[in-house]
Amino acid sequence: MSAPSPLVFRSACAAGFLATALAGWHLAAPETRASAGKVVEAGSAVDSKHRERKLRDGGIPAQVRETMAAIRGAATPEQRMRATIDLVQSMPLSDLEQWLENRWFDSGDSYDFTLFNKIAYQRWEAEDPEGLIAYHLKSNSYRAQEMLAKLAKDDPAKALAFCAGRPNPSIELDVLSSVLKVDAKLALQHARAMLERGAFNDSNYYQGDQFFQELVKKDPAALESLFADMPARLRQRAEGALTGQKLKADFAGTLKELMERQDGYKTFRNAYSDNDNIKAGILDHLAGLPDSWKKQIANEPYNLINPDNAGKWLEADLEGMGFSGTDAKNVWNFAIQYYANKNPTEALAMLGNMDLEKGNRDNVIENIFRNAQNDPKKMEALMAALQTDEDRAIAQKFVKVTDENGETVARKEPHLIKEPKEWLEAVMSGDRANANTYTYYIQQWPKEKIEELTTEFRGMAAADKSSLAMLLANSSHGDSGGSAQGLQGEAILYLVNNPPPKEEPKQPENPSPFGPSRSFDANNAASRHAVFLAQKDPDAASQWVQSLPAGETRQWAQKNLAKNWAMYDPEAMQQWVNTLSSTERKGVEEFLEKKER
């Protein structure tokens, strides 16, 4: 469809805006100008040299200054509005981009600015939608995603052509999933082309998984037909999506086939990653699983246990089903934490029959009473459910909250905080007693909240950012694979690139809210994060390790990741090691050989 002419668009714009814009201006009631002045049209009569003249006081082109002076001098709000519309419609589209990019429009009135931007973007979208998408992509604007989704629906081929060859293939994969919904044949054809040019690989695993899930719903055979063109690790993820579909249709039969395969558990893990029904289904087949599968489940219980099925895992006779005593404890310890959130009284009763390590048992009691400390009646009922004086002593700590001087203080409970900005305010307030609890609860937040918190973290001042990064990096809660695990990785990466001082001043003006006792061991933190992330997603772990700056910390993270990865998938580990530089590969291989002796 051809783009509308500027004249047509201008007429439509005037019709759509005059009534509402005038009303808005009158409501704003700005002061009347002394004289109208003459509006200078931008663009057509201005040569490139004239446009490049700059103001001495800020680098704004002189032509822009003259134009804005004329608009500011308009006698009435109505004249200023019409001058704003004329300005947008008279300038070439290339100049419009410069005005938006540099925020040159400044009439001294926020309503003018809003109107200018609105009609400027509308004109640009009408005349050159792909150009506007490219502009929004430069700032990672959500508008780019919205416009690409609309373009994929209206003109799938144009949307894919726009994305092809761009430096970030994740954008192309997002559009590919959108196109799949309206034109499966075209999407499949484009997926093959992406595989041929190497743009579709396991480095963009999230977008790839999204495409696989969409394709397997529409045409499982079509997904399988792509396997031959895929690199090994990408094929494993694609096969996981296909296996998930097969498990839905025939859980017992598909599970039997997987148990006969050497890579069966790895494929099963890829299949259940985002499917709670598959996670629930495995509970009925625990006794018949191979010993290696039982070991894997015990090593990564967070992948299968959730608040909805935690009770069933606690009821299961794991040792009777062939789990070792140690592995059964590991599963129960994780399950009781989830179960206690919804059923605290029942969880306390269960503790009497569970042979948990003391630290794990104490942690369950602490979390239960921490959650209830603002409800005296609930606290009283829970205290009555405790069976030993030792347990009651642990719970008693939460009956009264004191500060460092022993004074009773009121505090906002972390479990009640649901918004990232509120969480940051509470965390940075200096509440040392609750520091560990704050990091626990964000592990339960949805992905959107974590993304918002991550954005806030990135924009913090250096001192505050370092302080918060220390809390996140030193937290053991990120090891459990919760939703904030990615944020913990970003915090560690920040501290590796911006090492905190070895010793804090004795009396700092603005002390860290988490105290001078907080220290950061870069090698330990990076290695620990990589190992625990690998248990959930080895590909993501390997990418994270390579994002670390070259040096000792990255070398140790590579070594520890390889050592732990080799325990359950030595083939994939070796494939990754082979991608390292010769120096790094030699260091990892020597470390593995030394450990094997």
Side-chain angles (χ1 to χ4, degrees):
M1 182 177 72
S2 61
S5 68
L7 180 60
V8 172
F9 183 81
R10 178 177 176 176
S11 300
C13 178
F17 280 106
L18 277 173
T20 56
L22 284 171
W25 246 295
H26 285 306
L27 286 172
E31 60 190 18
T32 303
R33 312 290 174 169
S35 62
K38 180 181 178 182
V39 176
V40 180
E41 292 191 1
S44 58
V46 183
D47 61 28
S48 59
K49 290 183 180 179
H50 187 62
R51 279 198 297 267
E52 290 173 1
R53 284 186 299 153
K54 306 292 183 182
L55 280 177
R56 287 189 295 272
D57 62 349
I60 301 175
Q63 179 72 5
V64 173
R65 181 185 61 172
E66 295 166 8
T67 300
M68 290 312 308
I71 292 177
R72 283 192 292 268
T76 66
E78 291 86 345
Q79 289 182 5
R80 201 164 68 253
M81 183 206 71
R82 291 191 175 92
T84 299
I85 295 175
D86 286 341
L87 172 64
V88 173
Q89 299 310 316
S90 64
M91 70 173 70
L93 205 58
S94 58
D95 285 5
L96 189 62
E97 179 177 355
Q98 290 296 311
W99 277 71
L100 290 167
E101 178 80 28
N102 296 293
R103 299 174 67 88
W104 284 337
F105 189 92
D106 181 14
S107 69
D109 189 302
S110 61
Y111 191 86
D112 297 358
F113 178 78
T114 300
L115 178 65
F116 174 85
N117 278 276
K118 184 167 186 175
I119 59 178
Y121 283 128
Q122 285 190 348
R123 178 191 164 192
W124 195 349
E125 185 171 0
E127 296 182 25
D128 180 22
E130 291 95 325
L132 182 56
I133 294 172
Y135 171 79
H136 283 314
L137 282 174
K138 289 191 295 185
S139 60
N140 295 316
S141 169
Y142 74 95
R143 279 291 293 142
Q145 300 174 19
E146 290 181 345
M147 291 183 68
L148 279 170
K150 183 177 184 300
L151 186 62
K153 182 178 179 180
D154 297 341
D155 193 336
K158 181 180 286 188
L160 291 171
F162 171 83
C163 294
R166 290 192 170 270
N168 185 358
S170 63
I171 297 170
E172 189 173 1
L173 287 169
D174 279 335
V175 172
L176 186 64
S177 293
S178 298
V179 170
L180 181 61
K181 298 175 183 178
V182 296
D183 191 336
K185 183 178 180 180
L186 175 63
L188 192 64
Q189 178 183 344
H190 193 84
R192 293 188 189 282
M194 289 186 70
L195 286 167
E196 288 177 6
R197 55 185 161 90
F200 196 161
N201 54 56
D202 63 308
S203 64
N204 302 100
Y205 57 90
Y206 175 78
Q207 290 82 6
D209 287 353
Q210 188 178 34
F211 174 73
F212 297 149
Q213 294 296 337
E214 291 291 340
L215 182 55
V216 80
K217 292 175 188 174
K218 280 184 169 288
D219 190 346
L223 176 59
E224 194 166 9
S225 71
L226 294 174
F227 285 0
D229 300 321
M230 292 181 179
R233 284 194 284 179
L234 183 65
R235 175 172 177 169
Q236 290 169 5
R237 304 187 78 91
E239 190 174 3
L242 183 62
T243 301
Q245 198 74 1
K246 292 179 178 179
L247 285 164
K248 291 178 185 178
D250 179 11
F251 193 98
T254 305
L255 184 64
K256 182 179 179 181
E257 293 176 3
L258 290 172
M259 288 191 293
E260 294 172 353
R261 291 173 46 175
Q262 186 175 359
D263 63 347
Y265 184 78
K266 180 169 59 177
T267 303
F268 178 71
R269 182 172 55 189
N270 287 333
Y272 70 60
S273 60
D274 290 314
N275 193 304
D276 288 341
N277 290 330
I278 295 177
K279 293 178 182 180
I282 196 66
L283 279 161
D284 297 327
H285 300 271
L286 293 176
L289 296 178
D291 290 342
S292 60
W293 282 48
K294 294 171 184 175
K295 188 68 176 179
Q296 287 288 349
I297 289 172
N299 286 342
E300 47 188 39
Y302 45 80
N303 281 338
L304 286 169
I305 301 174
N306 57 44
D308 295 325
N309 65 28
K312 293 182 178 179
W313 281 96
L314 290 170
E315 294 170 359
D317 180 12
L318 297 180
E319 292 183 90
M321 294 178 182
F323 284 75
S324 71
T326 300
D327 288 344
K329 284 183 187 179
N330 198 36
V331 173
W332 288 330
N333 176 60
F334 194 84
I336 193 68
Q337 297 283 1
Y338 267 134
Y339 186 71
N341 286 337
K342 288 187 175 181
N343 309 278
T345 305
E346 294 84 347
L348 290 175
M350 284 185 176
L351 287 177
N353 301 317
M354 296 179 69
D355 184 20
L356 297 180
E357 299 293 334
K358 183 181 185 306
N360 294 333
R361 177 190 178 88
D362 292 352
N363 192 41
V364 173
I365 296 172
E366 287 181 1
N367 286 332
I368 288 174
F369 281 86
R370 182 182 290 113
N371 291 348
Q373 62 184 322
N374 283 343
D375 187 338
K377 290 184 178 180
K378 188 174 183 179
M379 286 284 283
E380 184 178 351
L382 290 172
M383 288 291 285
L386 293 173
Q387 302 171 25
T388 68
D389 290 340
E390 186 177 8
D391 290 346
R392 281 187 281 274
I394 295 170
Q396 191 67 33
K397 293 187 299 183
F398 299 95
V399 174
K400 183 176 71 173
V401 181
T402 60
D403 62 15
E404 294 175 335
N405 300 317
E407 298 293 330
T408 301
V409 296
R411 69 186 182 192
K412 187 178 294 182
E413 280 310 298
H415 67 283
L416 299 176
I417 297 176
K418 298 181 180 180
E419 296 302 324
K421 288 185 178 179
E422 186 184 5
W423 185 88
L424 281 173
E425 181 182 349
V427 168
M428 303 307 294
S429 68
D431 186 359
R432 293 174 175 82
N434 273 329
N436 193 48
T437 307
Y438 287 120
T439 61
Y440 171 74
Y441 281 104
I442 61 172
Q443 299 298 334
Q444 321 304 321
W445 280 10
K447 177 184 175 184
E448 296 75 16
K449 295 292 184 184
I450 295 299
E451 290 177 348
E452 186 178 341
L453 181 58
T454 302
T455 300
E456 293 288 339
F457 170 74
R458 290 170 180 167
M460 294 177 75
D464 288 342
K465 189 173 184 179
S466 181
S467 177
L468 179 57
M470 290 274 278
L471 171 69
L472 295 168
N474 286 317
S475 170
S476 62
H477 296 310
D479 300 342
S480 65
S483 58
Q485 192 173 38
L487 176 57
Q488 184 187 53
E490 185 157 335
I492 294 171
L493 183 60
Y494 175 79
L495 292 173
V496 172
N497 284 302
N498 304 274
K502 295 295 183 182
E503 295 182 2
E504 296 187 10
K506 293 183 179 179
Q507 293 182 336
E509 293 183 5
N510 297 298
S512 163
F514 311 111
S517 62
R518 283 289 185 181
S519 60
F520 177 66
D521 183 336
N523 294 349
N524 180 277
S527 292
R528 187 191 74 224
H529 180 74
V531 168
F532 280 102
L533 181 58
Q535 293 179 356
K536 182 178 181 181
D537 193 332
D539 295 332
S542 62
Q543 292 175 47
W544 183 84
V545 166
Q546 293 310 107
S547 72
L548 292 166
E552 182 183 20
T553 297
R554 184 164 82 175
Q555 291 168 5
W556 275 112
Q558 289 171 337
K559 293 173 182 178
N560 283 294
L561 173 60
K563 176 62 179 176
N564 283 270
W565 198 351
M567 294 180 183
Y568 56 90
D569 195 346
E571 181 182 350
M573 180 277 294
Q574 190 59 53
Q575 289 177 357
W576 170 66
V577 170
N578 291 340
T579 67
L580 302 179
S581 68
S582 58
T583 302
E584 291 178 328
R585 183 169 63 252
K586 181 180 178 182
V588 171
E589 290 174 344
E590 288 178 351
F591 179 77
L592 294 175
E593 290 175 3
K594 182 185 296 185
K595 288 287 183 179
E596 289 172 359
R597 291 171 188 166

